[in-house]
Every structure is written in C-alpha cells, then in structure tokens.
Amino acid sequence: MEHQDNHHTHGHAHGAHTHVHAPESINNIFIFCIALNILFVAIEAVVGLAENSLSLLSDAGHNLSDVFSLVLVLVAFRLSKVQSTKTFTYGLKKSTVLISLLNAIILLAAVGAITIESVHKFYEPAEVNGAAISWTAAAGIIINGLTVLLLMRGQKNDINVRGAFLHMVADTLVSAGVVVSGVAISMTGWNVIDPIVSIVIAIVILISTWRLLSESLKLSLDGTPEGIDIDKIEKMISERRNVKDVHHIHVWAISTTTNALTAHVVIGDINAMEDTKRDIKKTLTAAGIAHSTLEFETEANQCPTTRRYAYDAEIYDRELTHGNN
C-alpha cells in the first residue's frame, strides 16, 4: 500500500515472504531421534544406578534434557505454522525463539545439578564397574552419532535445529569421554575418575550451550539476528538505483528462521518508487530478510531527524528555548 501526505511518501509493501517451515522430513527425523534417545536414556539410567556410576547418570540426565529439547523443538515447528490473528499478528512464530531460550536454560540447570553431585562424589567416592560404564557409553556414541548425522543437514537453517545438533555432538563427545573413564577405572581402580569425568561433561555442556543461550536471548530481545550485518544491509540498499539515502533501519527475528526489517528510504524519482521497492525487496530477500516494510521519502520531504544540520547540542538547545518563548 502506498499513500502520500504533506510530509512523506510511504511505501508499505510486503512482498512474497519466504517463511521457512520445517519440512515433514525434519519432523519425522526429530520423532525418530526422540524415540531412539528415550530408549538409550532408560538403558543408561538403569546401568548407572546398578553400577553406581555418576558419570553414566549425569550423561543420562543430560541425554534426557536433550530429549526434552528435541520435543520442544518439535512443538516449536508446530507452533510456527499457526496462522496470524488479530491478537497475534505474526502468528506464534516467536515461540520458536522462546523455546530455544528455554532449552538453553534447561541445559544450564543440568550443568548445575551435575556439578553439585560431582563435588559430593569427590568427598564420598563410590565403587563403579568400569567395564559396564564403557560398554554403555559406547552404545551412546553410536546412538548420538546417528542423531548427529540425521540433524546435520537441517541445522544450517534454524537455530533450534542447530541447538539440537550441537547438543548431540556434545553428547557424542561426552559418551566418548565416559568410555575413557570406564577404561581408566578398570585399569587403575581409581573411582575418583568418575566425578572428574562428570565435571568435564558439565564443562562441555556449558560451552555448547553458551552460544545458544546468548543468541536466543538476543533474539528474544529483538536483537539483530546472527548473520545480519546492519552496515552491509544499509550499503546494499543505498547502492540500489534511485536510492539517495536510507535510515531508521530495524532488523529483528520473527522466528528462528524468518527475519524482518523496517526502513526509511529516500528516493530521487517518486515515479520510480514501485520499481525501486521491488529491487530493494529482492536484494533483502537474498540477504536473508524475507519480510520487509519500507517507508519511502523524497529528498525534499524526508523526516526531519535525518536532515544534516551543523548544529551542536548547545546551539540546538538554545534554539528550542527561544522557540518555546
């Protein structure tokens, strides 16, 4: 929709938005991964309790939190498909960002629980069966590795899928560490190795979670999505034909896969506004911004806050004072 008033010329247009939804194949992959990991968590927890292994139990707890994370991501996929309403004009797409934040918080809680229990085990080490730990963790390497392979392709396009992928990569590495722990205990009889490995597991989880936490927190606060450079976006728009200036640029995430932008664009020829709009939108879509709202202005009637005056703060304040008098 375009309209003109006495001050500005606006071009509020929404082109073909390339909203990215999780394909059915990704949904099926997540369902399979959830079922596979639930089975492994049950086996790992039983062996960990039977053999009194904190490293196995902590790994099982982490795997259980990952199962919950996979379920939440699956829920996010469903919510992202909810159509917009008068109450939720973007639908429930933002829920995908909130779920990624919740996943990160859950993992941080798991890190705290593992660390506390590990410290306790340092003071009261328990006898553990190194061979049982090794064999169980080896099965975890196979299961987590398979999950990683299944999620590898989808993690490039969605922070939630990437979060699940990174967690399963960490799980695979952790399982490998537990195998080493079991072998070391069998060879040395040092049960203290078990809580040491648990501490290492907690550190690995913390490192893999930190980026997810920071990015999801930023997106929940409408920060600029990762991979979007505001300076580059401004330069791209400014270089389009008929564009004289661009300002008031705002970019945020509607969901974990869809970015939005609003901007004021100063153009030289008002009659070429439609062509300019299409050109800019095509450029923005290629840059990863599928949803854009552009307000067009002419050089003679651009918003006052963008005009280049040589006033410093003192002169500006003095003029305001005289003006009020």
Side-chain angles (χ1 to χ4, degrees):
M1 177 182 73
E2 290 83 26
H3 62 276
Q4 296 184 2
D5 57 28
N6 294 329
H7 303 287
H8 310 294
T9 302
H10 306 286
H12 298 290
H14 306 278
H17 303 153
T18 55
H19 299 302
V20 181
H21 297 303
E24 196 60 33
S25 59
I26 288 291
N27 282 284
N28 292 336
I29 287 173
F30 267 82
I31 292 172
F32 176 74
C33 291
I34 289 168
L36 190 64
N37 280 274
I38 286 177
L39 176 62
F40 177 63
V41 165
I43 295 173
E44 197 171 29
V46 169
V47 176
L49 288 171
E51 302 299 337
N52 200 25
S53 170
L54 176 59
S55 60
L56 272 183
L57 289 174
S58 61
D59 192 35
H62 180 213
N63 280 318
L64 183 60
S65 69
D66 280 345
V67 169
F68 187 50
S69 296
L70 291 172
V71 172
L72 286 176
V73 173
L74 200 59
V75 171
F77 288 157
R78 301 297 184 185
L79 291 177
S80 68
K81 296 180 180 180
V82 174
Q83 298 299 314
S84 61
T85 65
K86 291 181 179 179
T87 304
F88 298 97
T89 56
Y90 279 128
L92 297 178
K93 294 179 178 61
K94 198 73 171 184
S95 63
T96 59
V97 175
L98 298 179
I99 283 177
S100 68
L101 179 60
L102 178 60
N103 274 331
I105 293 173
I106 290 171
L107 286 171
L108 288 180
V111 168
I114 292 172
T115 302
I116 291 172
E117 189 60 25
S118 297
V119 171
H120 176 71
K121 283 288 185 179
F122 272 116
Y123 294 102
E124 297 180 13
E127 292 290 332
V128 294
N129 187 328
I133 292 173
S134 296
W135 283 111
T136 306
I141 293 176
I142 297 173
I143 292 174
N144 291 327
L146 177 60
T147 306
V148 166
L149 291 175
L150 291 172
L151 296 177
M152 185 177 294
R153 187 173 183 180
Q155 60 94 18
K156 298 177 181 178
N157 301 316
D158 189 301
I159 182 180
N160 272 316
V161 180
R162 184 163 71 251
F165 170 79
L166 292 174
H167 293 164
M168 300 317 296
V169 168
D171 280 350
T172 305
L173 297 175
V174 165
S175 294
V178 175
V179 169
V180 173
S181 167
V183 172
I185 291 173
S186 296
M187 294 177 63
T188 65
W190 296 345
N191 295 316
V192 72
I193 293 175
D194 189 50
I196 291 175
V197 170
S198 296
I199 291 290
V200 173
I201 289 174
I203 294 173
V204 170
I205 298 171
L206 180 62
I207 293 173
S208 65
T209 302
W210 190 255
R211 183 183 176 191
L212 177 67
L213 175 66
S214 59
E215 187 174 352
S216 57
L217 182 60
K218 182 176 70 173
L219 292 183
S220 67
L221 295 174
D222 287 337
T224 304
E226 185 174 347
I228 300 294
D229 187 321
I230 293 293
D231 291 333
K232 288 183 179 179
I233 294 297
E234 181 178 359
K235 186 173 183 292
M236 289 169 59
I237 297 176
S238 299
E239 290 176 345
R240 309 324 298 169
R241 180 179 300 178
N242 194 37
V243 174
K244 301 300 182 182
D245 186 33
V246 58
H247 48 270
H248 290 337
I249 300 176
H250 300 281
V251 182
W252 70 99
I254 297 176
S255 72
T256 55
T257 58
T258 305
N259 299 322
L261 170 146
T262 60
H264 291 196
V265 182
V266 181
I267 55 178
D269 183 4
I270 194 64
N271 296 318
M273 183 174 64
E274 283 296 326
D275 290 338
T276 304
K277 177 183 66 180
R278 282 191 292 268
D279 187 21
I280 293 174
K281 283 181 171 291
K282 182 178 179 180
T283 301
L284 291 174
T285 300
I289 301 174
H291 187 118
S292 56
T293 302
L294 306 172
E295 179 175 329
F296 289 99
E297 304 167 350
T298 63
E299 291 182 287
N301 294 307
Q302 58 182 304
C303 54
T305 56
T306 65
R307 290 175 181 164
R308 275 67 169 176
Y309 293 118
Y311 299 141
D312 59 23
E314 183 180 348
I315 297 175
Y316 183 69
D317 289 340
R318 188 162 59 245
E319 287 202 350
L320 284 179
T321 302
H322 291 323
N324 292 331
N325 293 333

